[in-house]
Protein backbone atom coordinates (compact mmCIF):
# COMPACT_ATOMS: atom_id res chain seq x y z
CA UNK A 1 0.00 0.00 0.00
CA UNK A 2 1.49 3.38 -0.98
CA UNK A 3 2.01 5.92 1.76
CA UNK A 4 3.10 9.55 1.73
CA UNK A 5 5.13 11.08 4.54
CA UNK A 6 5.53 14.83 4.80
CA UNK A 7 8.30 16.05 7.09
CA UNK A 8 7.65 19.43 8.69
CA UNK A 9 9.57 21.59 11.13
CA UNK A 10 8.39 21.16 14.74
CA UNK A 11 6.59 24.53 14.89
CA UNK A 12 4.58 23.74 11.71
CA UNK A 13 3.71 20.29 13.04
CA UNK A 14 2.53 21.72 16.38
CA UNK A 15 0.41 24.28 14.53
CA UNK A 16 -1.13 21.47 12.45
CA UNK A 17 -1.90 19.45 15.60
CA UNK A 18 -3.56 22.48 17.21
CA UNK A 19 -5.64 23.21 14.09
CA UNK A 20 -6.72 19.56 13.88
CA UNK A 21 -7.73 19.51 17.56
CA UNK A 22 -9.75 22.71 17.09
CA UNK A 23 -11.52 21.26 14.04
CA UNK A 24 -12.30 18.04 15.90
CA UNK A 25 -13.78 20.03 18.79
CA UNK A 26 -16.01 21.92 16.34
CA UNK A 27 -17.25 18.60 14.96
CA UNK A 28 -17.98 17.32 18.50
CA UNK A 29 -19.81 20.56 19.33
CA UNK A 30 -21.96 20.28 16.19
CA UNK A 31 -22.74 16.66 16.99
CA UNK A 32 -23.89 17.62 20.50
CA UNK A 33 -26.18 20.32 19.04
CA UNK A 34 -27.64 17.74 16.67
CA UNK A 35 -28.19 15.22 19.47
CA UNK A 36 -29.94 17.84 21.58
CA UNK A 37 -32.29 19.05 18.85
CA UNK A 38 -35.75 17.70 18.14
CA UNK A 39 -36.94 18.02 14.57
CA UNK A 40 -40.66 18.45 14.04
CA UNK A 41 -42.69 15.92 12.08
CA UNK A 42 -42.96 18.10 8.94
CA UNK A 43 -39.19 18.52 8.73
CA UNK A 44 -38.60 14.81 9.37
CA UNK A 45 -41.13 13.76 6.74
CA UNK A 46 -39.82 16.17 4.08
CA UNK A 47 -36.19 15.17 4.55
CA UNK A 48 -37.17 11.53 5.06
CA UNK A 49 -39.01 11.38 1.74
CA UNK A 50 -35.99 12.84 -0.06
CA UNK A 51 -33.65 10.29 1.54
CA UNK A 52 -36.09 7.42 0.95
CA UNK A 53 -36.55 8.28 -2.72
CA UNK A 54 -32.80 8.52 -3.31
CA UNK A 55 -31.67 5.52 -1.23
CA UNK A 56 -34.55 3.12 -0.57
CA UNK A 57 -37.15 3.40 -3.33
CA UNK A 58 -35.15 1.36 -5.85
CA UNK A 59 -35.76 -1.75 -3.76
CA UNK A 60 -38.78 -0.95 -1.59
CA UNK A 61 -40.48 1.12 -4.33
CA UNK A 62 -41.75 4.69 -4.09
CA UNK A 63 -45.13 3.38 -2.85
CA UNK A 64 -43.49 1.32 -0.10
CA UNK A 65 -44.88 -1.95 -1.47
CA UNK A 66 -41.50 -3.49 -2.31
CA UNK A 67 -41.09 -6.24 -4.87
CA UNK A 68 -42.87 -9.36 -3.61
CA UNK A 69 -40.50 -12.25 -3.16
CA UNK A 70 -37.45 -10.02 -3.66
CA UNK A 71 -37.65 -6.90 -1.48
CA UNK A 72 -40.15 -6.62 1.38
CA UNK A 73 -42.75 -3.90 1.41
CA UNK A 74 -42.74 -1.33 4.20
CA UNK A 75 -46.32 -0.14 3.75
CA UNK A 76 -48.32 -1.82 6.49
CA UNK A 77 -45.39 -4.03 7.55
CA UNK A 78 -44.92 -5.00 11.18
CA UNK A 79 -41.40 -3.60 11.35
CA UNK A 80 -42.61 -0.16 10.18
CA UNK A 81 -45.86 -0.04 12.16
CA UNK A 82 -45.57 -1.96 15.44
CA UNK A 83 -44.24 0.02 18.42
CA UNK A 84 -42.46 -3.06 19.76
CA UNK A 85 -40.55 -3.38 16.45
CA UNK A 86 -39.24 0.21 16.36
CA UNK A 87 -35.77 -0.76 17.66
CA UNK A 88 -35.65 -3.57 15.07
CA UNK A 89 -36.50 -0.99 12.40
CA UNK A 90 -33.73 1.35 13.54
CA UNK A 91 -31.23 -1.52 13.69
CA UNK A 92 -31.97 -2.83 10.22
CA UNK A 93 -31.69 0.59 8.57
CA UNK A 94 -28.52 1.44 10.51
CA UNK A 95 -26.78 -1.95 10.44
CA UNK A 96 -28.38 -3.68 7.44
CA UNK A 97 -29.44 -7.32 7.41
CA UNK A 98 -26.80 -9.96 6.92
CA UNK A 99 -27.49 -12.47 4.18
CA UNK A 100 -29.82 -10.12 2.32
CA UNK A 101 -29.50 -7.19 -0.07
CA UNK A 102 -30.37 -4.79 2.79
CA UNK A 103 -27.26 -2.72 3.22
CA UNK A 104 -26.22 -0.77 6.31
CA UNK A 105 -26.90 2.95 6.03
CA UNK A 106 -25.34 3.90 9.38
CA UNK A 107 -22.03 4.80 7.79
CA UNK A 108 -23.59 6.34 4.67
CA UNK A 109 -26.08 8.78 6.19
CA UNK A 110 -25.86 11.29 8.99
CA UNK A 111 -27.88 11.04 12.20
CA UNK A 112 -30.41 13.57 10.93
CA UNK A 113 -30.95 11.74 7.63
CA UNK A 114 -31.29 8.35 9.36
CA UNK A 115 -33.83 9.75 11.82
CA UNK A 116 -35.78 11.36 8.98
CA UNK A 117 -35.92 8.32 6.68
CA UNK A 118 -37.04 6.00 9.48
CA UNK A 119 -39.67 8.53 10.55
CA UNK A 120 -40.85 8.66 6.94
CA UNK A 121 -41.05 4.88 6.68
CA UNK A 122 -43.07 4.71 9.91
CA UNK A 123 -45.53 7.38 8.78
CA UNK A 124 -45.85 7.14 4.97
CA UNK A 125 -48.25 4.99 2.90
CA UNK A 126 -50.87 4.86 5.65
CA UNK A 127 -48.47 3.58 8.33
CA UNK A 128 -49.27 6.69 10.42
CA UNK A 129 -47.55 5.58 13.64
CA UNK A 130 -46.93 9.15 14.76
CA UNK A 131 -43.35 8.14 15.62
CA UNK A 132 -40.91 11.03 15.20
CA UNK A 133 -37.45 9.49 15.39
CA UNK A 134 -34.71 11.85 16.58
CA UNK A 135 -30.94 11.91 16.06
CA UNK A 136 -30.39 11.01 19.72
CA UNK A 137 -32.27 7.72 19.21
CA UNK A 138 -30.13 6.89 16.17
CA UNK A 139 -27.00 7.70 18.15
CA UNK A 140 -28.14 5.40 20.98
CA UNK A 141 -28.56 2.49 18.56
CA UNK A 142 -25.18 3.21 16.96
CA UNK A 143 -23.60 3.11 20.41
CA UNK A 144 -25.45 -0.05 21.43
CA UNK A 145 -27.40 1.80 24.14
CA UNK A 146 -31.01 1.17 25.15
CA UNK A 147 -33.66 3.59 23.89
Amino acid sequence: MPIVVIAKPVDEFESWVQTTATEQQKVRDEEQKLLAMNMDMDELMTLGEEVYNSRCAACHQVNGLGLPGVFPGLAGSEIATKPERMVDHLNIVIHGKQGTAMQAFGAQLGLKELAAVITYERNAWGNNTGDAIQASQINAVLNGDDL
Side-chain angles (χ1 to χ4, degrees):
M1 171 181 5
I3 187 168
V4 176
V5 176
I6 301 173
K8 298 254 183 197
V10 171
D11 59 331
E12 284 184 43
F13 173 74
E14 289 175 355
S15 175
W16 173 80
V17 168
Q18 185 62 37
T19 301
T20 301
T22 302
E23 289 171 1
Q24 288 174 345
Q25 184 60 49
K26 287 179 184 177
V27 168
R28 285 191 293 274
D29 292 347
E30 286 300 313
E31 181 180 65
Q32 289 307 309
K33 286 180 192 175
L34 179 60
L35 293 175
M37 97 174 176
N38 283 316
M39 295 187 295
D40 66 33
M41 185 62 88
D42 289 338
E43 181 181 7
L44 286 163
M45 291 296 286
T46 299
L47 177 59
E49 183 176 21
E50 289 173 20
V51 173
Y52 180 87
N53 287 336
S54 67
R55 302 291 184 121
C56 312
C59 297
H60 298 287
Q61 304 301 294
V62 173
N63 60 10
L65 296 177
L67 293 171
V70 182
F71 299 111
L74 298 171
S77 71
E78 284 194 15
I79 200 164
T81 60
K82 300 285 184 188
E84 63 272 14
R85 298 290 311 273
M86 185 171 65
V87 173
D88 295 335
H89 193 175
L90 273 68
N91 270 310
I92 204 165
V93 173
I94 293 168
H95 301 296
K97 186 172 182 181
Q98 196 168 8
T100 72
M102 181 60 194
Q103 62 183 309
F105 286 96
Q108 297 179 39
L109 299 172
L111 299 175
K112 186 176 181 178
E113 289 79 15
L114 288 164
V117 75
I118 296 168
T119 296
Y120 180 76
E121 292 171 355
R122 296 186 72 76
N123 291 284
W125 322 294
N127 287 351
N128 302 330
T129 65
D131 295 335
I133 309 302
Q134 300 297 331
S136 59
Q137 292 170 287
I138 301 298
N139 192 57
V141 171
L142 283 168
N143 291 329
D145 299 334
D146 292 328
L147 292 184

